[in-house]
Amino acid sequence: MILGTGIDIIEVDRIQKAMERWGEHFLRHVFTDEEIENAKQKKFPAQYYAVRFAAKEAIFKAVGDDPQLTWKDMSIVNDQYGRPHCRFRKEKHKFNLNISLSHTHNYAVASAIITSST
């Protein structure tokens, strides 16, 4: 049973401009250390950050009103096969969650679906 869905799209340039304007402060506010370290290995880090930003926004939308869920409570990472998933920092925020990510040079999009465990 689907309990919540969310989708988000963002222009990669918006993230690039935020990185240029606020630098490390912006990155440390939105992304986990793990995400920042992974981005350093990417040829186009703005695309990497943008699609993870979109994923977090999609998760916020799927979860609904949970004022205790923050940007850094979730880390969007890839498993050993390259599939994206969300690693939650706090036990109480663990959901049955499926995410899908995609990006082009200009746009990043993500969707999130929360399902019941039964």
Side-chain angles (χ1 to χ4, degrees), residues 1-2 6 9 13-14 25 32 38 44 53 55 59 78 108 111:
M1 168 188 268
I2 295 175
I9 186 168
D13 192 48
R14 183 172 165 214
H25 179 72
T32 63
N38 289 339
F44 302 107
F53 185 95
I59 293 166
N78 296 83
S111 66

Side-chain angles (χ1 to χ4, degrees), residues 45-96:
Q47 291 173 352
Y48 179 89
Y49 285 126
V51 79
R52 278 149 182 79
F53 185 95
K56 291 180 183 200
E57 282 286 335
I59 293 166
F60 284 135
K61 292 171 184 176
V63 169
D65 279 340
D66 184 351
Q68 297 177 9
L69 183 62
T70 68
W71 291 105
K72 293 181 74 169
D73 284 338
M74 49 189 144
S75 189
I76 310 301
V77 295
N78 296 83
D79 69 13
Q80 63 194 30
Y81 304 107
R83 293 180 299 221
H85 68 277
C86 180
R87 185 176 304 132
F88 289 100
R89 185 174 61 156
K90 297 177 183 174
E91 192 69 32
K92 69 178 180 174
H93 289 128
K94 292 209 174 170
F95 309 105
N96 289 327

